[in-house]
Amino acid sequence: MLTSLRIKNFKAWKDTGPIQLAPLTVIFGANSSGKSSLGHLLLALKQTVLSVDRKRPLHLGDENALIDLGTFTECLHNHDLKNELRFKLGWQIPGKRLEIRDPLSHTKFVGDELQLDVTIIADAKEQPRVNRMEYHLRQKDATTLSVAYVRDEKNKLEIRSNQYKLVRNLGRGWPLDEPDKFYRISDQSRARFQNADFLSDFALHTEAALSSVYYLGPLREHPKRIYSWSGETPESVGQKGEFSVAAILAASAQDRKLNRGPKKHQSRFDGFIAQWLKDLGIISSFSVKPVAEGRKEYEVLVKAHPTSSEVKITDVGFGVSQVLPALVQAFYCPPNSTIWMEQPEIHLHPQVQAELADVFISATQARENGKERNVQLIVESHSEHFLNRLQRRVAEGTVSPEDVAVYFCRRAGSAIELEPLRLNVLGEIENWPENFFGDEMADISARTMAAMQHLMKQREEMAER
C-alpha cells in the first residue's frame, strides 16, 4: 500500500505538499484542478518499471502505453526546462518487514516502510536525466537507513549513506554508471562494492510497489451483446473496463472466494459481484452465461426487478455497465494492490453514488480465501453523496478516520493547492473548504430572491387589473 506522495514541478503542480495516503483516499476538486495529474505520474512510473529499456529514466508514453504525457518539457511545471521534476513516494513493505544486513560489519537495519525520493532534470537534449535518487528505510516513522545516489561537484555519481559504510572492491575504482531507469543502481555500479547487494532489494521492492498500481479511467466501454473469453486471466479490468467480464469469468474459474470483511459470508467471485449490484439497488439479478455449451462466447444477463424478464446488459440502463468495472476492479486486483479510479460515480443515481462508498470501504476490508487483501483505493470524485455516506460510516465506526484520507484540490490564482481535510471520529470535516461543492447558499438565496420577485410582479399585475 502506498503511504505517502509528494510531487514538485509536474504539469500544473508547483508543489503538492506532503500527501498522506490511507487505505481509502478520496480527492475532490473542480474540473481542471490538477487531480488527474497525480495519478498520471504514477502511471508513468509504472510503465517505466515495465519498460524493457533500462537506460530510459522515465517512459513518458506513446500510443501503446498506459499514459502518454508527451515530451519532458510538457511534463514540467510552466514548461520550464530549468525546473526539476521531483517526486517522493512511500509504501509499506509486504509482510511488514524488510531486513538489511551489512555482510562486513554485520550491522542490521530493519524497516516496515520504504521511501524513494527522485529528482529528474533535463539534459542538453531536453531529455530526462536522474540527478539524485534517495532511498529511506523507515520503522515506526523513523528513518533507520538512508542511501543517496548523487552527483558531486564534478558531475560524477557517488553513493552516500550516513548509516551504512560501502566498501570498494580492490581494483574497481572507475566511475559509477548512470542509474537504470529512475530507481535502480546498475549491476555494474553495485559490483564496485563488496557490500552493496542490498540496493537491488530496494529496486525490487520499488518494482513490486509500482507494478501493483492499477488505473480505471472515467470513460468506460459501452456494454456488448456478446463477450468472447478463451480462458485467459487479465491483469486488470483495463483502463476503460473492457476486460471486466473476462475478469469475472477468470476469477470464477479459479474458484476465488471473497467476503466483505472479517466474519462476513464468503461467496464465489461472480456471486459476490452480483450481490453487490443487487445491494446497490441497480438491478435484481446478474449473471454471465455461455451462449451455448462448449462455446467461447458469453452474454451478461440481468433483471432490473424480481418480476422482470431476464435481458442482456445492453438492454438495461447505462449505469450498470458503467459501475461494473469499478466493482470488479476493487475486488479482482491482487492483494496489496493500489487502485486509482477517476469518477466511478459517473452515470449513477445519487443514492447509488452513496452506496458506492460502502463498496469501497468493503474493498479495503475484504478477505479472499480467508486472508486479508490489503487493497488500497485512491478515488477522484465530484460526488457529495459519496462523501456524505463516507462521513456517516466513520461516525458509525464502520471505518476508522485513520483509514480514510480526504483532500480538496483547488486553484488559487495560477497555482494549485491540495488541502487535506480533517475527518474526526464523528465523521465531521473540521476544516470544510469554502465552495467545496459549489456555493449552495448562494443558489438558495438567488432562488428565494427570484421567487419573491415573481410574487411581487404577480401582485403588481393583479393591482393594475
mmCIF file with all atom_site columns, all heavy atoms in Angstrom, residues 319-337:
data_model
loop_
_atom_site.group_PDB
_atom_site.id
_atom_site.type_symbol
_atom_site.label_atom_id
_atom_site.label_alt_id
_atom_site.label_comp_id
_atom_site.label_asym_id
_atom_site.label_entity_id
_atom_site.label_seq_id
_atom_site.pdbx_PDB_ins_code
_atom_site.Cartn_x
_atom_site.Cartn_y
_atom_site.Cartn_z
_atom_site.occupancy
_atom_site.B_iso_or_equiv
_atom_site.pdbx_formal_charge
_atom_site.auth_seq_id
_atom_site.auth_comp_id
_atom_site.auth_asym_id
_atom_site.auth_atom_id
_atom_site.pdbx_PDB_model_num
ATOM 1   N N   . GLY A 1 319 ? -26.122 2.769   -16.476 1.00 0.00 ? 319 GLY A N   1
ATOM 2   C CA  . GLY A 1 319 ? -25.393 2.789   -15.217 1.00 0.00 ? 319 GLY A CA  1
ATOM 3   C C   . GLY A 1 319 ? -24.803 1.451   -14.826 1.00 0.00 ? 319 GLY A C   1
ATOM 4   O O   . GLY A 1 319 ? -23.732 1.381   -14.214 1.00 0.00 ? 319 GLY A O   1
ATOM 5   N N   . VAL A 1 320 ? -25.475 0.345   -15.172 1.00 0.00 ? 320 VAL A N   1
ATOM 6   C CA  . VAL A 1 320 ? -24.983 -0.985  -14.801 1.00 0.00 ? 320 VAL A CA  1
ATOM 7   C C   . VAL A 1 320 ? -23.604 -1.232  -15.399 1.00 0.00 ? 320 VAL A C   1
ATOM 8   O O   . VAL A 1 320 ? -22.663 -1.645  -14.710 1.00 0.00 ? 320 VAL A O   1
ATOM 9   C CB  . VAL A 1 320 ? -25.960 -2.089  -15.266 1.00 0.00 ? 320 VAL A CB  1
ATOM 10  C CG1 . VAL A 1 320 ? -25.455 -3.461  -14.840 1.00 0.00 ? 320 VAL A CG1 1
ATOM 11  C CG2 . VAL A 1 320 ? -27.348 -1.838  -14.719 1.00 0.00 ? 320 VAL A CG2 1
ATOM 12  N N   . SER A 1 321 ? -23.480 -1.004  -16.692 1.00 0.00 ? 321 SER A N   1
ATOM 13  C CA  . SER A 1 321 ? -22.207 -1.264  -17.371 1.00 0.00 ? 321 SER A CA  1
ATOM 14  C C   . SER A 1 321 ? -21.119 -0.295  -16.937 1.00 0.00 ? 321 SER A C   1
ATOM 15  O O   . SER A 1 321 ? -19.933 -0.601  -17.056 1.00 0.00 ? 321 SER A O   1
ATOM 16  C CB  . SER A 1 321 ? -22.392 -1.181  -18.887 1.00 0.00 ? 321 SER A CB  1
ATOM 17  O OG  . SER A 1 321 ? -22.795 0.115   -19.276 1.00 0.00 ? 321 SER A OG  1
ATOM 18  N N   . GLN A 1 322 ? -21.507 0.869   -16.412 1.00 0.00 ? 322 GLN A N   1
ATOM 19  C CA  . GLN A 1 322 ? -20.512 1.854   -16.004 1.00 0.00 ? 322 GLN A CA  1
ATOM 20  C C   . GLN A 1 322 ? -19.980 1.592   -14.597 1.00 0.00 ? 322 GLN A C   1
ATOM 21  O O   . GLN A 1 322 ? -18.814 1.845   -14.312 1.00 0.00 ? 322 GLN A O   1
ATOM 22  C CB  . GLN A 1 322 ? -21.121 3.261   -16.067 1.00 0.00 ? 322 GLN A CB  1
ATOM 23  C CG  . GLN A 1 322 ? -21.490 3.700   -17.465 1.00 0.00 ? 322 GLN A CG  1
ATOM 24  C CD  . GLN A 1 322 ? -20.327 3.660   -18.431 1.00 0.00 ? 322 GLN A CD  1
ATOM 25  O OE1 . GLN A 1 322 ? -19.434 4.501   -18.395 1.00 0.00 ? 322 GLN A OE1 1
ATOM 26  N NE2 . GLN A 1 322 ? -20.306 2.654   -19.301 1.00 0.00 ? 322 GLN A NE2 1
ATOM 27  N N   . VAL A 1 323 ? -20.830 1.062   -13.706 1.00 0.00 ? 323 VAL A N   1
ATOM 28  C CA  . VAL A 1 323 ? -20.369 0.776   -12.353 1.00 0.00 ? 323 VAL A CA  1
ATOM 29  C C   . VAL A 1 323 ? -19.713 -0.599  -12.254 1.00 0.00 ? 323 VAL A C   1
ATOM 30  O O   . VAL A 1 323 ? -18.893 -0.837  -11.360 1.00 0.00 ? 323 VAL A O   1
ATOM 31  C CB  . VAL A 1 323 ? -21.538 0.884   -11.345 1.00 0.00 ? 323 VAL A CB  1
ATOM 32  C CG1 . VAL A 1 323 ? -22.475 -0.317  -11.439 1.00 0.00 ? 323 VAL A CG1 1
ATOM 33  C CG2 . VAL A 1 323 ? -21.022 1.049   -9.931  1.00 0.00 ? 323 VAL A CG2 1
ATOM 34  N N   . LEU A 1 324 ? -20.028 -1.495  -13.168 1.00 0.00 ? 324 LEU A N   1
ATOM 35  C CA  . LEU A 1 324 ? -19.486 -2.854  -13.118 1.00 0.00 ? 324 LEU A CA  1
ATOM 36  C C   . LEU A 1 324 ? -17.949 -2.874  -13.088 1.00 0.00 ? 324 LEU A C   1
ATOM 37  O O   . LEU A 1 324 ? -17.365 -3.585  -12.254 1.00 0.00 ? 324 LEU A O   1
ATOM 38  C CB  . LEU A 1 324 ? -20.018 -3.677  -14.292 1.00 0.00 ? 324 LEU A CB  1
ATOM 39  C CG  . LEU A 1 324 ? -19.582 -5.144  -14.334 1.00 0.00 ? 324 LEU A CG  1
ATOM 40  C CD1 . LEU A 1 324 ? -20.110 -5.904  -13.117 1.00 0.00 ? 324 LEU A CD1 1
ATOM 41  C CD2 . LEU A 1 324 ? -20.061 -5.815  -15.626 1.00 0.00 ? 324 LEU A CD2 1
ATOM 42  N N   . PRO A 1 325 ? -17.234 -2.131  -13.955 1.00 0.00 ? 325 PRO A N   1
ATOM 43  C CA  . PRO A 1 325 ? -15.765 -2.155  -13.891 1.00 0.00 ? 325 PRO A CA  1
ATOM 44  C C   . PRO A 1 325 ? -15.211 -1.705  -12.546 1.00 0.00 ? 325 PRO A C   1
ATOM 45  O O   . PRO A 1 325 ? -14.212 -2.256  -12.067 1.00 0.00 ? 325 PRO A O   1
ATOM 46  C CB  . PRO A 1 325 ? -15.346 -1.196  -15.013 1.00 0.00 ? 325 PRO A CB  1
ATOM 47  C CG  . PRO A 1 325 ? -16.494 -1.187  -15.956 1.00 0.00 ? 325 PRO A CG  1
ATOM 48  C CD  . PRO A 1 325 ? -17.708 -1.311  -15.101 1.00 0.00 ? 325 PRO A CD  1
ATOM 49  N N   . ALA A 1 326 ? -15.848 -0.705  -11.923 1.00 0.00 ? 326 ALA A N   1
ATOM 50  C CA  . ALA A 1 326 ? -15.376 -0.231  -10.619 1.00 0.00 ? 326 ALA A CA  1
ATOM 51  C C   . ALA A 1 326 ? -15.539 -1.312  -9.559  1.00 0.00 ? 326 ALA A C   1
ATOM 52  O O   . ALA A 1 326 ? -14.641 -1.540  -8.728  1.00 0.00 ? 326 ALA A O   1
ATOM 53  C CB  . ALA A 1 326 ? -16.135 1.032   -10.214 1.00 0.00 ? 326 ALA A CB  1
ATOM 54  N N   . LEU A 1 327 ? -16.669 -1.995  -9.590  1.00 0.00 ? 327 LEU A N   1
ATOM 55  C CA  . LEU A 1 327 ? -16.912 -3.088  -8.645  1.00 0.00 ? 327 LEU A CA  1
ATOM 56  C C   . LEU A 1 327 ? -15.897 -4.219  -8.842  1.00 0.00 ? 327 LEU A C   1
ATOM 57  O O   . LEU A 1 327 ? -15.270 -4.690  -7.889  1.00 0.00 ? 327 LEU A O   1
ATOM 58  C CB  . LEU A 1 327 ? -18.318 -3.644  -8.846  1.00 0.00 ? 327 LEU A CB  1
ATOM 59  C CG  . LEU A 1 327 ? -19.495 -2.946  -8.187  1.00 0.00 ? 327 LEU A CG  1
ATOM 60  C CD1 . LEU A 1 327 ? -20.786 -3.646  -8.558  1.00 0.00 ? 327 LEU A CD1 1
ATOM 61  C CD2 . LEU A 1 327 ? -19.328 -2.923  -6.686  1.00 0.00 ? 327 LEU A CD2 1
ATOM 62  N N   . VAL A 1 328 ? -15.758 -4.648  -10.080 1.00 0.00 ? 328 VAL A N   1
ATOM 63  C CA  . VAL A 1 328 ? -14.878 -5.790  -10.364 1.00 0.00 ? 328 VAL A CA  1
ATOM 64  C C   . VAL A 1 328 ? -13.431 -5.446  -10.031 1.00 0.00 ? 328 VAL A C   1
ATOM 65  O O   . VAL A 1 328 ? -12.728 -6.229  -9.369  1.00 0.00 ? 328 VAL A O   1
ATOM 66  C CB  . VAL A 1 328 ? -15.009 -6.228  -11.837 1.00 0.00 ? 328 VAL A CB  1
ATOM 67  C CG1 . VAL A 1 328 ? -14.033 -7.353  -12.151 1.00 0.00 ? 328 VAL A CG1 1
ATOM 68  C CG2 . VAL A 1 328 ? -16.432 -6.683  -12.134 1.00 0.00 ? 328 VAL A CG2 1
ATOM 69  N N   . GLN A 1 329 ? -12.971 -4.283  -10.451 1.00 0.00 ? 329 GLN A N   1
ATOM 70  C CA  . GLN A 1 329 ? -11.575 -3.914  -10.203 1.00 0.00 ? 329 GLN A CA  1
ATOM 71  C C   . GLN A 1 329 ? -11.255 -3.857  -8.716  1.00 0.00 ? 329 GLN A C   1
ATOM 72  O O   . GLN A 1 329 ? -10.179 -4.278  -8.279  1.00 0.00 ? 329 GLN A O   1
ATOM 73  C CB  . GLN A 1 329 ? -11.268 -2.552  -10.845 1.00 0.00 ? 329 GLN A CB  1
ATOM 74  C CG  . GLN A 1 329 ? -9.821  -2.111  -10.724 1.00 0.00 ? 329 GLN A CG  1
ATOM 75  C CD  . GLN A 1 329 ? -8.867  -2.943  -11.561 1.00 0.00 ? 329 GLN A CD  1
ATOM 76  O OE1 . GLN A 1 329 ? -8.775  -4.168  -11.433 1.00 0.00 ? 329 GLN A OE1 1
ATOM 77  N NE2 . GLN A 1 329 ? -8.143  -2.290  -12.428 1.00 0.00 ? 329 GLN A NE2 1
ATOM 78  N N   . ALA A 1 330 ? -12.187 -3.335  -7.923  1.00 0.00 ? 330 ALA A N   1
ATOM 79  C CA  . ALA A 1 330 ? -11.956 -3.183  -6.492  1.00 0.00 ? 330 ALA A CA  1
ATOM 80  C C   . ALA A 1 330 ? -11.685 -4.514  -5.803  1.00 0.00 ? 330 ALA A C   1
ATOM 81  O O   . ALA A 1 330 ? -10.941 -4.577  -4.814  1.00 0.00 ? 330 ALA A O   1
ATOM 82  C CB  . ALA A 1 330 ? -13.148 -2.492  -5.838  1.00 0.00 ? 330 ALA A CB  1
ATOM 83  N N   . PHE A 1 331 ? -12.271 -5.607  -6.318  1.00 0.00 ? 331 PHE A N   1
ATOM 84  C CA  . PHE A 1 331 ? -12.132 -6.910  -5.666  1.00 0.00 ? 331 PHE A CA  1
ATOM 85  C C   . PHE A 1 331 ? -11.328 -7.918  -6.493  1.00 0.00 ? 331 PHE A C   1
ATOM 86  O O   . PHE A 1 331 ? -10.933 -8.960  -5.974  1.00 0.00 ? 331 PHE A O   1
ATOM 87  C CB  . PHE A 1 331 ? -13.523 -7.484  -5.372  1.00 0.00 ? 331 PHE A CB  1
ATOM 88  C CG  . PHE A 1 331 ? -14.324 -6.657  -4.415  1.00 0.00 ? 331 PHE A CG  1
ATOM 89  C CD1 . PHE A 1 331 ? -15.303 -5.783  -4.879  1.00 0.00 ? 331 PHE A CD1 1
ATOM 90  C CD2 . PHE A 1 331 ? -14.086 -6.728  -3.053  1.00 0.00 ? 331 PHE A CD2 1
ATOM 91  C CE1 . PHE A 1 331 ? -16.034 -5.000  -3.994  1.00 0.00 ? 331 PHE A CE1 1
ATOM 92  C CE2 . PHE A 1 331 ? -14.818 -5.956  -2.158  1.00 0.00 ? 331 PHE A CE2 1
ATOM 93  C CZ  . PHE A 1 331 ? -15.796 -5.083  -2.625  1.00 0.00 ? 331 PHE A CZ  1
ATOM 94  N N   . TYR A 1 332 ? -11.072 -7.592  -7.763  1.00 0.00 ? 332 TYR A N   1
ATOM 95  C CA  . TYR A 1 332 ? -10.356 -8.533  -8.637  1.00 0.00 ? 332 TYR A CA  1
ATOM 96  C C   . TYR A 1 332 ? -8.839  -8.382  -8.524  1.00 0.00 ? 332 TYR A C   1
ATOM 97  O O   . TYR A 1 332 ? -8.104  -9.365  -8.639  1.00 0.00 ? 332 TYR A O   1
ATOM 98  C CB  . TYR A 1 332 ? -10.781 -8.311  -10.085 1.00 0.00 ? 332 TYR A CB  1
ATOM 99  C CG  . TYR A 1 332 ? -10.039 -9.164  -11.086 1.00 0.00 ? 332 TYR A CG  1
ATOM 100 C CD1 . TYR A 1 332 ? -10.365 -10.503 -11.274 1.00 0.00 ? 332 TYR A CD1 1
ATOM 101 C CD2 . TYR A 1 332 ? -9.001  -8.629  -11.853 1.00 0.00 ? 332 TYR A CD2 1
ATOM 102 C CE1 . TYR A 1 332 ? -9.685  -11.294 -12.194 1.00 0.00 ? 332 TYR A CE1 1
ATOM 103 C CE2 . TYR A 1 332 ? -8.315  -9.407  -12.773 1.00 0.00 ? 332 TYR A CE2 1
ATOM 104 C CZ  . TYR A 1 332 ? -8.657  -10.735 -12.940 1.00 0.00 ? 332 TYR A CZ  1
ATOM 105 O OH  . TYR A 1 332 ? -7.973  -11.510 -13.845 1.00 0.00 ? 332 TYR A OH  1
ATOM 106 N N   . CYS A 1 333 ? -8.363  -7.167  -8.322  1.00 0.00 ? 333 CYS A N   1
ATOM 107 C CA  . CYS A 1 333 ? -6.923  -6.922  -8.319  1.00 0.00 ? 333 CYS A CA  1
ATOM 108 C C   . CYS A 1 333 ? -6.228  -7.779  -7.255  1.00 0.00 ? 333 CYS A C   1
ATOM 109 O O   . CYS A 1 333 ? -6.846  -8.198  -6.276  1.00 0.00 ? 333 CYS A O   1
ATOM 110 C CB  . CYS A 1 333 ? -6.641  -5.440  -8.055  1.00 0.00 ? 333 CYS A CB  1
ATOM 111 S SG  . CYS A 1 333 ? -7.173  -4.899  -6.418  1.00 0.00 ? 333 CYS A SG  1
ATOM 112 N N   . PRO A 1 334 ? -4.930  -8.073  -7.423  1.00 0.00 ? 334 PRO A N   1
ATOM 113 C CA  . PRO A 1 334 ? -4.217  -8.915  -6.458  1.00 0.00 ? 334 PRO A CA  1
ATOM 114 C C   . PRO A 1 334 ? -4.141  -8.245  -5.081  1.00 0.00 ? 334 PRO A C   1
ATOM 115 O O   . PRO A 1 334 ? -4.274  -7.026  -4.967  1.00 0.00 ? 334 PRO A O   1
ATOM 116 C CB  . PRO A 1 334 ? -2.817  -9.051  -7.079  1.00 0.00 ? 334 PRO A CB  1
ATOM 117 C CG  . PRO A 1 334 ? -2.976  -8.684  -8.512  1.00 0.00 ? 334 PRO A CG  1
ATOM 118 C CD  . PRO A 1 334 ? -4.081  -7.690  -8.565  1.00 0.00 ? 334 PRO A CD  1
ATOM 119 N N   . PRO A 1 335 ? -3.923  -9.023  -4.026  1.00 0.00 ? 335 PRO A N   1
ATOM 120 C CA  . PRO A 1 335 ? -3.705  -8.438  -2.702  1.00 0.00 ? 335 PRO A CA  1
ATOM 121 C C   . PRO A 1 335 ? -2.548  -7.431  -2.725  1.00 0.00 ? 335 PRO A C   1
ATOM 122 O O   . PRO A 1 335 ? -1.625  -7.552  -3.533  1.00 0.00 ? 335 PRO A O   1
ATOM 123 C CB  . PRO A 1 335 ? -3.368  -9.653  -1.835  1.00 0.00 ? 335 PRO A CB  1
ATOM 124 C CG  . PRO A 1 335 ? -4.028  -10.802 -2.521  1.00 0.00 ? 335 PRO A CG  1
ATOM 125 C CD  . PRO A 1 335 ? -3.933  -10.499 -3.990  1.00 0.00 ? 335 PRO A CD  1
ATOM 126 N N   . ASN A 1 336 ? -2.623  -6.441  -1.844  1.00 0.00 ? 336 ASN A N   1
ATOM 127 C CA  . ASN A 1 336 ? -1.605  -5.385  -1.709  1.00 0.00 ? 336 ASN A CA  1
ATOM 128 C C   . ASN A 1 336 ? -1.557  -4.452  -2.920  1.00 0.00 ? 336 ASN A C   1
ATOM 129 O O   . ASN A 1 336 ? -0.553  -3.780  -3.143  1.00 0.00 ? 336 ASN A O   1
ATOM 130 C CB  . ASN A 1 336 ? -0.211  -5.980  -1.458  1.00 0.00 ? 336 ASN A CB  1
ATOM 131 C CG  . ASN A 1 336 ? -0.174  -6.882  -0.241  1.00 0.00 ? 336 ASN A CG  1
ATOM 132 O OD1 . ASN A 1 336 ? -0.600  -6.487  0.839   1.00 0.00 ? 336 ASN A OD1 1
ATOM 133 N ND2 . ASN A 1 336 ? 0.305   -8.098  -0.410  1.00 0.00 ? 336 ASN A ND2 1
ATOM 134 N N   . SER A 1 337 ? -2.637  -4.399  -3.694  1.00 0.00 ? 337 SER A N   1
ATOM 135 C CA  . SER A 1 337 ? -2.693  -3.511  -4.853  1.00 0.00 ? 337 SER A CA  1
ATOM 136 C C   . SER A 1 337 ? -3.166  -2.117  -4.455  1.00 0.00 ? 337 SER A C   1
ATOM 137 O O   . SER A 1 337 ? -3.823  -1.923  -3.429  1.00 0.00 ? 337 SER A O   1
ATOM 138 C CB  . SER A 1 337 ? -3.643  -4.064  -5.922  1.00 0.00 ? 337 SER A CB  1
ATOM 139 O OG  . SER A 1 337 ? -3.161  -5.267  -6.459  1.00 0.00 ? 337 SER A OG  1
#
